[in-house]
Amino acid sequence: MRNLLVILLTGLIVLGCNTYSEEEKSGFVSKAEEYAKKHHWNYEVLDGGLVVEVLEKGTGTEKIQSGSELELSYKGTLTNGRKFDQTEPGKPLKSNLKGLIGGFQLGLLNHVAGTKLRMVVPPQLGYGDDGLDKIPANSTLIFEISIEKVF
């Protein structure tokens, strides 16, 4: 699973890479927000329809910026609950924010170490119409994320 993690989060930056109509994007955004409502999240909707819920505010002092290096732990599932990947306990993902999928690039900005989030990432901010291994094309992705370090 660790290999999928590296491919999943560092290989592609999908912001603007897929060509969806405005109607399709709107449908994806609606689906993301419906998921959060159905599961009773206390969320906000960011650019591109990214749904984010802050579960716990961190106590770190350095905010994640566009070029930040960070360590995070996460679990990724599809909307049907099927897990497609997660970090191993005690082995967070180390990456530059710019190397992560578009949903992470938007959703992690300005947060600090110790923050715990949930995100619903619509396809245009995830893997779009490409899909990847255990992730079908046009999938809405659900992530539980813990920001371990920001440097």
Side-chain angles (χ1 to χ4, degrees), residues 50-79:
L50 179 68
V51 174
V52 178
E53 178 182 32
V54 177
L55 300 171
E56 187 176 318
K57 290 188 178 195
T59 57
T61 55
E62 187 167 345
K63 291 183 178 183
I64 296 175
Q65 302 298 314
S66 178
S68 292
E69 296 288 330
L70 50 97
E71 290 184 7
L72 56 91
S73 298
Y74 80 93
K75 179 172 96 172
T77 60
L78 301 174
T79 54

Side-chain angles (χ1 to χ4, degrees), residues 74-124:
Y74 80 93
K75 179 172 96 172
T77 60
L78 301 174
T79 54
N80 65 8
R82 192 183 62 149
K83 181 176 70 174
F84 58 82
D85 199 15
Q86 74 179 50
T87 53
E88 295 178 38
K91 295 183 180 181
L93 169 70
K94 297 175 184 178
S95 180
N96 186 294
L97 184 64
K98 291 180 182 180
L100 303 178
I101 62 172
F104 276 46
Q105 290 180 37
L106 293 172
L108 296 176
L109 274 179
N110 296 315
H111 288 289
V112 297
T115 300
K116 295 183 181 187
L117 307 164
R118 287 194 289 201
M119 288 195 280
V120 183
V121 180
Q124 68 270 21

